[in-house]
Amino acid sequence: MTHGHPDTHTHTHTHTVFLPMLSGIIQGSVIGPLLFLIFINDLIVLLASAGISVKVFADDMKVYVRVTGRTDLIKLQSSLDLLTDWASKWQLQLSVDKCFTSNLGKPKCDVALHIDNNTLHVVQTCRDLLVTVCKSLPKHINVLITYCAVLCHVIRSL
């Protein structure tokens, strides 16, 4: 790539135009996943230094904290604010409509959490990497039984 000037490559009568890329990581590239992990590493370190547990898989991130009092909820909201500021700094748009909160224990969380002035929805059950996470173990078992029954039906029909 040249300095702001597009290049053209001709191969078997097909023209490919290369345009300057201002920011981001090319999707579908071999090195893209590694570059993305390097790109978000400082965010993971930042959140962990604030006392927040972070789990990342590809471009999916979970932040969580054990809540024993109001101070922990304030810490969690502060971490969401750090995440928003980091995303803004690096021109990364968060998919707030895909974000939610879940309370998996006691006491019940009575504080609404926000990302970029958007209130996060509270869900009772969520699915993550084929695992259903919910407060109720019997409900989780019923979901697994239903899923297995559907898979068995599909396998038998092959």
Side-chain angles (χ1 to χ4, degrees), residues 70-138:
R70 199 150 190 83
T71 306
D72 297 318
L73 293 171
I74 293 168
K75 180 167 60 170
L76 185 55
Q77 180 59 58
S78 295
S79 73
L80 294 176
D81 295 339
L82 285 173
L83 180 107
T84 303
D85 293 344
W86 181 89
S88 176
K89 174 184 173 184
W90 292 105
Q91 302 172 6
L92 185 68
Q93 187 174 4
L94 298 175
S95 299
V96 180
D97 55 322
K98 295 181 182 179
C99 298
F100 57 85
T101 64
S102 183
N103 181 29
L104 300 177
K106 297 177 184 176
K108 185 177 178 181
C109 176
D110 60 347
V111 174
L113 297 170
H114 302 84
I115 291 181
D116 201 21
N117 295 322
N118 295 296
T119 302
L120 299 180
H121 300 287
V122 179
V123 297
Q124 301 303 315
T125 302
C126 66
R127 192 165 179 195
D128 185 36
L129 299 175
L130 295 178
V131 175
T132 301
V133 179
C134 61
K135 226 175 181 178
S136 168
L137 185 58

Side-chain angles (χ1 to χ4, degrees), residues 48-64:
S49 69
I52 300 298
S53 298
V54 180
K55 300 294 179 208
V56 179
F57 181 78
D59 64 346
D60 190 32
M61 178 179 285
K62 297 190 185 28
V63 295
Y64 58 95

Side-chain angles (χ1 to χ4, degrees), residues 7-18:
D7 293 333
T8 302
H9 174 70
T10 303
H11 178 71
T12 63
H13 306 293
T14 315
H15 295 283
T16 303
V17 177
F18 297 96

